[in-house]
């Protein structure tokens, strides 16, 4: 079991107040809070190691490079990639997805080729494909879902054609919390010769993710959603695909040799990492992953599953409550509306009680349209949340409901 009170001490922000109330932070799907170890890793590195990586012969540069490359090995192990060459550091999930859309698109997609995306994708996993459609004339097909918020697998199977090249699917929906059957979906896609990109922004922080077990071709995630800093993220790509893909950006770090006549590119993964990387961020991300390992991914997942079950039960008792996403497998995200209270009003009034939730379209407007609403309220949990905080949320919602 988790010793939550001890864990909460690792996160200084959790002991602050908002409007003279204890902070109840339930916006973890947007970003998580940072443990002391992560923040200290960043200040320590700036105070005592800071030097640009890869290029320096001097001591500090070598030390910074070592930390940066150890972080890569750490990420490789965390998601069980085959090699460090398969781990590309980016600014986050969004940049990772744009990298694939641009570079895989350049290498492998022609006019009329098809890319499947699900109706529950975050805009980050929709817009880059639409931009590619503008550039190359690819065809985007939408994988539908059931009213419970599960992927409609039968329709999915029938969407494939000889022109289907890629399937883009969120492992866990940032709105519905649905855990999509990415392993099964990948196996189906591969029988059709299509590649699979899994957006792991909402799964990697909450459950064990093993890219070899899923057998996906790409996986993306963001450091800031797994207790790490902002500005650092990861793209995992299967090595033989990455080898065939052109660089996404040009500049320093990604070159082998430059002349005005011709430039050759660095080996993987550096070919995709133009410019000075966020080497402080990568190290701090590794510290965050160590923090998660230290507590235990299965223990965290069990705790969050308990919170989600409890919150679903308690919230369902509130009159007028409509919860979006009741999939059989659901992670720590609960989106909802209450009667005809506008989510913005609900969020604003809860904020006055010290309770931070998210309101709006959650960067998933096509999903909002599928659910027949413009916006929703969303509570999302992390390892430091408690049943008492769920009680505070439920009491807060009930109080707002009675005001209306
Ligand atoms: N994909 C999903 C499922 C997300 O939840 C998010 C962020 O909320 C993103 C992509 C984009 O992540 P980032 O803003 O860190 O690039």
């Amino acid at each position: 079991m988790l010793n939550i009170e001890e864990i909460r001490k690792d996160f200084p922000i959790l002991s602050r107040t908002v409007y003279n109330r204890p902070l109840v932070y339930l916006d973890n799907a947007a970003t998580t809070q940072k443990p002391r170890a992560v923040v200290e890793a960043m200040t320590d590195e700036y105070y005592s190691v800071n030097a640009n990586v890869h290029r320096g012969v001097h001591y500090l540069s070598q030390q910074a490079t070592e930390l940066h490359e150890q972080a890569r090995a750490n990420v490789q192990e965390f998601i069980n990639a085959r090699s460090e060459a398969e781990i590309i550091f980016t600014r986050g999930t969004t940049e990772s997805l744009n990298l694939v859309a641009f570079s895989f698109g350049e290498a492998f997609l022609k006019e009329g080729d098809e890319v499947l995306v699900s109706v529950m994708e975050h805009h980050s996993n929709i817009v880059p494909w639409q931009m590619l459609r503008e550039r190359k004339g690819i065809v985007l097909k939408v994988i539908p879902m059931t009213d419970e918020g599960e992927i409609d697998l039968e329709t999915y199977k029938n969407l494939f054609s000889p022109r289907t090249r890629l399937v883009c699917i969120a492992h866990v929906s940032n709105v519905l919390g649905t855990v999509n059957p990415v392993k099964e979906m990948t196996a189906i896609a591969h029988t059709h010769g299509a590649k699979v990109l899994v957006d792991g922004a909402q799964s990697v922080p909450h459950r064990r993710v093993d890219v070899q077990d899923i057998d996906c071709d790409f996986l993306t995630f963001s450091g800031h959603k797994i207790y790490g800093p902002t500005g650092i993220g990861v793209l995992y790509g299967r090595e033989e695909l990455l080898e065939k893909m052109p660089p996404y950006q040009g500049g320093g770090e990604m070159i082998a040799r430059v002349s005005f006549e011709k430039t050759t590119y660095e080996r993987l993964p550096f070919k995709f990492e133009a410019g000075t990387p966020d080497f402080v961020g990568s190290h701090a991300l590794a510290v965050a992953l160590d923090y998660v390992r230290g507590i235990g991914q299965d223990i965290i997942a069990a705790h969050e599953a308990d919170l989600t079950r409890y919150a679903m039960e308690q919230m369902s008792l509130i009159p007028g409550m409509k919860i979006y996403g009741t999939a059989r497998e659901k992670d720590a995200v609960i989106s909802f509306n209450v009667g005809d209270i506008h989510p913005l009003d609900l969020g604003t009034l809860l904020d006055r009680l010290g309770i931070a939730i998210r309101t709006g379209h959650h960067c998933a407007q096509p999903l909002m349209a599928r659910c027949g609403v413009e916006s929703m309220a969303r509570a999302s949990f992390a390892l430091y949340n408690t049943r008492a905080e769920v009680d505070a949320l439920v009491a807060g919602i009930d109080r707002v409901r009675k005001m209306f």
Side-chain angles (χ1 to χ4, degrees), residues 73-88:
N74 190 320
V75 172
Q76 178 207 338
E77 195 207 297
F78 198 77
I79 59 170
N80 195 30
R82 289 165 205 83
S83 115
E84 287 165 38
E86 298 185 316
I87 304 299
I88 296 156

Side-chain angles (χ1 to χ4, degrees), residues 29 92-94 122 124 174 199 201-202 222 224-225:
T93 302
T94 303
H122 188 282
S124 295
N174 66 310
D199 172 357
Q202 298 294 347
S222 298
H224 70 98
K225 292 185 198 284

Side-chain angles (χ1 to χ4, degrees), residues 73-75 77-79 286 288-297 300:
N74 190 320
V75 172
E77 195 207 297
F78 198 77
I79 59 170
L289 299 184
D290 285 343
Y291 183 83
V292 167
R293 278 189 192 93
I295 293 173
Q297 285 178 279
I300 293 170

